[in-house]
Amino acid sequence: MGAEGNSAANEDVLPEGISLPRRITVEEFVQDGECLLYNPSRDQASALNRTATEVWSLCDGRLTPGGIAGVLGERYGVNGAMLLDDVAQALAALRARGLIEFLPGSPRS
């Protein structure tokens, strides 16, 4: 991610009370922009395509779903709002597989 992507990420850090997706510790195997995740607590593997891998990589506990869509929008030269439904679907699938959790938002110090 370039410097502009980092700038957008910083602008989308959330105030208190907002949900922030964060990766749960799993084994991660990345190759050619896609990844395979293994969740030992569920004894379950999940193969992610490139798009889901990008969403997964942005689940750092600091960005909202809208922030993730914004970063991806900047990356691909489209309005992030157009990607929000796709990001929400990817996040729902990651959560259903036990790969992310949602944290309450808090201000950065």
Side-chain angles (χ1 to χ4, degrees), residues 65-79:
I68 291 170
V71 170
L72 294 174
E74 278 191 25
R75 189 175 291 169
Y76 294 105
V78 299
N79 183 337

PDB file of all heavy atoms in Angstrom, residues 65-79:
ATOM      1  N   PRO A  65     -15.729  -0.738   8.272  1.00  0.00           N
ATOM      2  CA  PRO A  65     -16.010  -1.276   6.942  1.00  0.00           C
ATOM      3  C   PRO A  65     -15.961  -0.180   5.870  1.00  0.00           C
ATOM      4  O   PRO A  65     -15.419  -0.399   4.779  1.00  0.00           O
ATOM      5  CB  PRO A  65     -17.408  -1.874   7.091  1.00  0.00           C
ATOM      6  CG  PRO A  65     -17.442  -2.305   8.531  1.00  0.00           C
ATOM      7  CD  PRO A  65     -16.712  -1.201   9.259  1.00  0.00           C
ATOM      8  N   GLY A  66     -16.476   1.008   6.177  1.00  0.00           N
ATOM      9  CA  GLY A  66     -16.401   2.120   5.229  1.00  0.00           C
ATOM     10  C   GLY A  66     -14.972   2.555   4.963  1.00  0.00           C
ATOM     11  O   GLY A  66     -14.624   2.924   3.845  1.00  0.00           O
ATOM     12  N   GLY A  67     -14.133   2.509   5.989  1.00  0.00           N
ATOM     13  CA  GLY A  67     -12.718   2.841   5.826  1.00  0.00           C
ATOM     14  C   GLY A  67     -12.009   1.837   4.936  1.00  0.00           C
ATOM     15  O   GLY A  67     -11.185   2.198   4.101  1.00  0.00           O
ATOM     16  N   ILE A  68     -12.344   0.560   5.113  1.00  0.00           N
ATOM     17  CA  ILE A  68     -11.764  -0.488   4.270  1.00  0.00           C
ATOM     18  C   ILE A  68     -12.191  -0.267   2.817  1.00  0.00           C
ATOM     19  O   ILE A  68     -11.368  -0.316   1.908  1.00  0.00           O
ATOM     20  CB  ILE A  68     -12.182  -1.885   4.769  1.00  0.00           C
ATOM     21  CG1 ILE A  68     -11.512  -2.179   6.117  1.00  0.00           C
ATOM     22  CG2 ILE A  68     -11.830  -2.965   3.736  1.00  0.00           C
ATOM     23  CD1 ILE A  68     -12.020  -3.409   6.822  1.00  0.00           C
ATOM     24  N   ALA A  69     -13.471   0.020   2.608  1.00  0.00           N
ATOM     25  CA  ALA A  69     -13.967   0.291   1.251  1.00  0.00           C
ATOM     26  C   ALA A  69     -13.261   1.507   0.666  1.00  0.00           C
ATOM     27  O   ALA A  69     -12.921   1.521  -0.521  1.00  0.00           O
ATOM     28  CB  ALA A  69     -15.481   0.494   1.271  1.00  0.00           C
ATOM     29  N   GLY A  70     -13.013   2.525   1.488  1.00  0.00           N
ATOM     30  CA  GLY A  70     -12.321   3.722   1.022  1.00  0.00           C
ATOM     31  C   GLY A  70     -10.897   3.440   0.577  1.00  0.00           C
ATOM     32  O   GLY A  70     -10.447   3.925  -0.462  1.00  0.00           O
ATOM     33  N   VAL A  71     -10.175   2.645   1.363  1.00  0.00           N
ATOM     34  CA  VAL A  71      -8.796   2.288   0.997  1.00  0.00           C
ATOM     35  C   VAL A  71      -8.787   1.512  -0.318  1.00  0.00           C
ATOM     36  O   VAL A  71      -7.995   1.790  -1.219  1.00  0.00           O
ATOM     37  CB  VAL A  71      -8.119   1.470   2.121  1.00  0.00           C
ATOM     38  CG1 VAL A  71      -6.794   0.882   1.650  1.00  0.00           C
ATOM     39  CG2 VAL A  71      -7.910   2.334   3.356  1.00  0.00           C
ATOM     40  N   LEU A  72      -9.696   0.545  -0.446  1.00  0.00           N
ATOM     41  CA  LEU A  72      -9.766  -0.236  -1.683  1.00  0.00           C
ATOM     42  C   LEU A  72     -10.192   0.640  -2.862  1.00  0.00           C
ATOM     43  O   LEU A  72      -9.690   0.473  -3.976  1.00  0.00           O
ATOM     44  CB  LEU A  72     -10.720  -1.419  -1.522  1.00  0.00           C
ATOM     45  CG  LEU A  72     -10.265  -2.489  -0.531  1.00  0.00           C
ATOM     46  CD1 LEU A  72     -11.346  -3.538  -0.346  1.00  0.00           C
ATOM     47  CD2 LEU A  72      -8.953  -3.117  -0.962  1.00  0.00           C
ATOM     48  N   GLY A  73     -11.104   1.566  -2.613  1.00  0.00           N
ATOM     49  CA  GLY A  73     -11.527   2.483  -3.670  1.00  0.00           C
ATOM     50  C   GLY A  73     -10.368   3.321  -4.185  1.00  0.00           C
ATOM     51  O   GLY A  73     -10.206   3.487  -5.399  1.00  0.00           O
ATOM     52  N   GLU A  74      -9.561   3.844  -3.262  1.00  0.00           N
ATOM     53  CA  GLU A  74      -8.379   4.615  -3.675  1.00  0.00           C
ATOM     54  C   GLU A  74      -7.411   3.739  -4.453  1.00  0.00           C
ATOM     55  O   GLU A  74      -6.833   4.162  -5.450  1.00  0.00           O
ATOM     56  CB  GLU A  74      -7.658   5.194  -2.455  1.00  0.00           C
ATOM     57  CG  GLU A  74      -8.267   6.458  -1.947  1.00  0.00           C
ATOM     58  CD  GLU A  74      -7.378   7.142  -0.928  1.00  0.00           C
ATOM     59  OE1 GLU A  74      -6.142   6.936  -0.937  1.00  0.00           O
ATOM     60  OE2 GLU A  74      -7.936   7.890  -0.116  1.00  0.00           O
ATOM     61  N   ARG A  75      -7.242   2.526  -3.983  1.00  0.00           N
ATOM     62  CA  ARG A  75      -6.311   1.592  -4.620  1.00  0.00           C
ATOM     63  C   ARG A  75      -6.709   1.306  -6.067  1.00  0.00           C
ATOM     64  O   ARG A  75      -5.863   1.167  -6.939  1.00  0.00           O
ATOM     65  CB  ARG A  75      -6.288   0.289  -3.811  1.00  0.00           C
ATOM     66  CG  ARG A  75      -5.217  -0.681  -4.228  1.00  0.00           C
ATOM     67  CD  ARG A  75      -5.182  -1.873  -3.304  1.00  0.00           C
ATOM     68  NE  ARG A  75      -4.706  -1.486  -1.985  1.00  0.00           N
ATOM     69  CZ  ARG A  75      -4.755  -2.262  -0.909  1.00  0.00           C
ATOM     70  NH1 ARG A  75      -5.264  -3.473  -0.983  1.00  0.00           N
ATOM     71  NH2 ARG A  75      -4.295  -1.825   0.242  1.00  0.00           N
ATOM     72  N   TYR A  76      -8.017   1.229  -6.316  1.00  0.00           N
ATOM     73  CA  TYR A  76      -8.502   0.854  -7.651  1.00  0.00           C
ATOM     74  C   TYR A  76      -9.135   2.005  -8.420  1.00  0.00           C
ATOM     75  O   TYR A  76      -9.693   1.789  -9.494  1.00  0.00           O
ATOM     76  CB  TYR A  76      -9.471  -0.332  -7.537  1.00  0.00           C
ATOM     77  CG  TYR A  76      -8.741  -1.559  -7.066  1.00  0.00           C
ATOM     78  CD1 TYR A  76      -8.887  -2.012  -5.764  1.00  0.00           C
ATOM     79  CD2 TYR A  76      -7.867  -2.228  -7.914  1.00  0.00           C
ATOM     80  CE1 TYR A  76      -8.190  -3.124  -5.323  1.00  0.00           C
ATOM     81  CE2 TYR A  76      -7.158  -3.333  -7.476  1.00  0.00           C
ATOM     82  CZ  TYR A  76      -7.327  -3.772  -6.176  1.00  0.00           C
ATOM     83  OH  TYR A  76      -6.625  -4.864  -5.735  1.00  0.00           O
ATOM     84  N   GLY A  77      -9.069   3.208  -7.872  1.00  0.00           N
ATOM     85  CA  GLY A  77      -9.557   4.370  -8.596  1.00  0.00           C
ATOM     86  C   GLY A  77     -11.067   4.441  -8.750  1.00  0.00           C
ATOM     87  O   GLY A  77     -11.555   4.916  -9.771  1.00  0.00           O
ATOM     88  N   VAL A  78     -11.796   3.951  -7.745  1.00  0.00           N
ATOM     89  CA  VAL A  78     -13.259   4.027  -7.764  1.00  0.00           C
ATOM     90  C   VAL A  78     -13.734   4.624  -6.447  1.00  0.00           C
ATOM     91  O   VAL A  78     -12.992   4.687  -5.470  1.00  0.00           O
ATOM     92  CB  VAL A  78     -13.924   2.647  -7.997  1.00  0.00           C
ATOM     93  CG1 VAL A  78     -13.505   2.056  -9.328  1.00  0.00           C
ATOM     94  CG2 VAL A  78     -13.609   1.686  -6.871  1.00  0.00           C
ATOM     95  N   ASN A  79     -14.979   5.031  -6.427  1.00  0.00           N
ATOM     96  CA  ASN A  79     -15.572   5.563  -5.213  1.00  0.00           C
ATOM     97  C   ASN A  79     -15.737   4.426  -4.210  1.00  0.00           C
ATOM     98  O   ASN A  79     -16.373   3.417  -4.507  1.00  0.00           O
ATOM     99  CB  ASN A  79     -16.925   6.195  -5.554  1.00  0.00           C
ATOM    100  CG  ASN A  79     -17.574   6.849  -4.357  1.00  0.00           C
ATOM    101  OD1 ASN A  79     -17.292   6.534  -3.204  1.00  0.00           O
ATOM    102  ND2 ASN A  79     -18.454   7.780  -4.646  1.00  0.00           N
TER     103      ASN A  79
END
